[in-house]
Amino acid sequence: MIRLLRLQLLLLPVLVLVNCAYPFFLNSGSIRMATKKESVKSTYLLGYIENRDSHFDPFHTKNLSSMLKFELLNAGYGILVLDDYIKPGEDMSPGKEAASKRGETKDLLAQLAENAKMSGGGSASPGAEGSGFLSSDYGSKLLRESEIKTVQGVTHFDFFIQGAIAMNDNRKIIDKTENGIIFLEIFDKSGKFVSSINYTVEGRTLTEAELLKSICGRVIDKLEKREDPKPWWRF
């Protein structure tokens, strides 16, 4: 009996150490990789995500866009990003050599021509800055139908996504509750509005990694059901 008691006392610190370390072993994180498929289902262009957060964290929208891009790619869709087609700002830094500037201009014109060729663009449409690029304001606002048509004239896509994200609280000092809202609007290549997706959550914040992952995964589920509606005889 005495030996058993001594053995229990010796094992007690070990058990405490294991219990303390156990959560760290569980929370080792996860890693996934998405690769572009050779044949994509359809191509989505990711546009502007408006930040309506009362606390205004600029990374909320970037995290949502990045996670949505990952999940779309992982589900077999083609991805384009609107920011890649926004005209780059002019480099006004002093000390640039004239020859270097001419070389940069030549490279930029070549890139513009290549982008126009790849997108099948002809003459520049309203809002387009030359061939292959859009004016800078296109990347900082929610676009209207006519503007989405202009975007389609620069790059080819099947569906265009834009929306908004907001995180707020109930403004109580005691028992404060966080809530989050995500709005996503889907347009076709002609700029016509085709569907809207809304996600709301109470008591959690959209900064939680697993929650954001789950939200974007469920968004993809909704998109796939919209693109591939089941016949009426299937349930």
Side-chain angles (χ1 to χ4, degrees):
M1 184 68 180
I2 295 176
R3 289 182 178 179
L4 181 60
L5 181 60
R6 287 178 178 176
L7 181 60
Q8 290 176 342
L9 291 174
L10 289 172
L11 290 176
L12 182 60
V14 177
L15 293 174
V16 171
L17 180 61
V18 171
N19 286 332
C20 291
Y22 188 61
F24 294 98
F25 287 111
L26 286 179
N27 191 25
S28 59
S30 61
I31 183 170
R32 298 183 298 156
M33 183 175 70
T35 56
K36 183 179 179 180
K37 307 298 187 294
E38 292 185 3
S39 177
V40 297
K41 301 175 183 177
S42 54
T43 299
Y44 280 86
L45 176 66
L46 300 183
Y48 180 64
I49 304 294
E50 187 175 51
N51 194 337
R52 299 175 185 172
D53 185 2
S54 60
H55 307 294
F56 195 79
D57 185 336
F59 296 108
H60 293 340
T61 57
K62 293 181 181 297
N63 289 339
L64 174 59
S65 295
S66 295
M67 185 66 77
L68 191 58
K69 179 180 178 181
F70 179 93
E71 295 297 342
L72 282 167
L73 189 64
N74 194 44
Y77 292 95
I79 302 297
L80 299 173
V81 180
L82 184 61
D83 283 346
D84 292 339
Y85 296 89
I86 301 300
K87 182 181 180 182
E90 295 181 359
D91 187 359
M92 301 301 292
S93 58
K96 287 283 186 180
E97 297 292 338
S100 176
K101 286 185 177 181
R102 287 195 297 270
E104 290 174 359
T105 302
K106 184 178 179 181
D107 291 342
L108 177 59
L109 291 175
Q111 184 62 51
L112 288 171
E114 181 65 20
N115 287 350
K117 180 180 179 181
M118 293 178 63
S119 62
S123 59
S125 52
E129 295 285 343
S131 300
F133 281 118
L134 298 161
S135 58
S136 59
D137 62 325
Y138 273 52
S140 58
K141 65 178 182 179
L142 299 176
L143 303 184
R144 301 187 299 271
E145 178 180 334
S146 60
E147 293 169 324
I148 295 174
K149 288 181 179 179
T150 298
V151 173
Q152 173 65 8
V154 174
T155 179
H156 290 307
F157 61 85
D158 296 305
F159 298 100
F160 175 70
I161 301 180
Q162 63 182 4
I165 182 173
M167 288 204 311
N168 300 287
D169 56 58
N170 56 6
R171 300 186 180 182
K172 293 182 179 180
I173 299 177
I174 302 176
D175 297 329
K176 179 179 289 188
T177 302
E178 300 281 348
N179 60 78
I181 309 173
I182 291 176
F183 298 99
L184 293 175
E185 296 178 336
I186 318 298
F187 302 82
D188 64 16
K189 63 180 66 178
S190 66
K192 297 293 184 182
F193 175 79
V194 294
S195 60
S196 178
I197 296 176
N198 169 235
Y199 185 92
T200 59
V201 62
E202 287 281 345
R204 300 182 68 181
T205 63
L206 298 175
T207 57
E208 298 177 32
E210 284 299 322
L211 177 59
L212 192 59
K213 171 185 171 184
S214 174
I215 291 171
C216 291
R218 294 169 71 178
V219 167
I220 304 307
D221 290 341
K222 294 293 184 182
L223 291 177
E224 292 194 327
K225 290 178 180 178
R226 180 189 59 78
E227 284 195 24
D228 186 23
K230 293 181 179 180
W232 63 268
W233 61 85
R234 294 184 183 176
F235 299 94

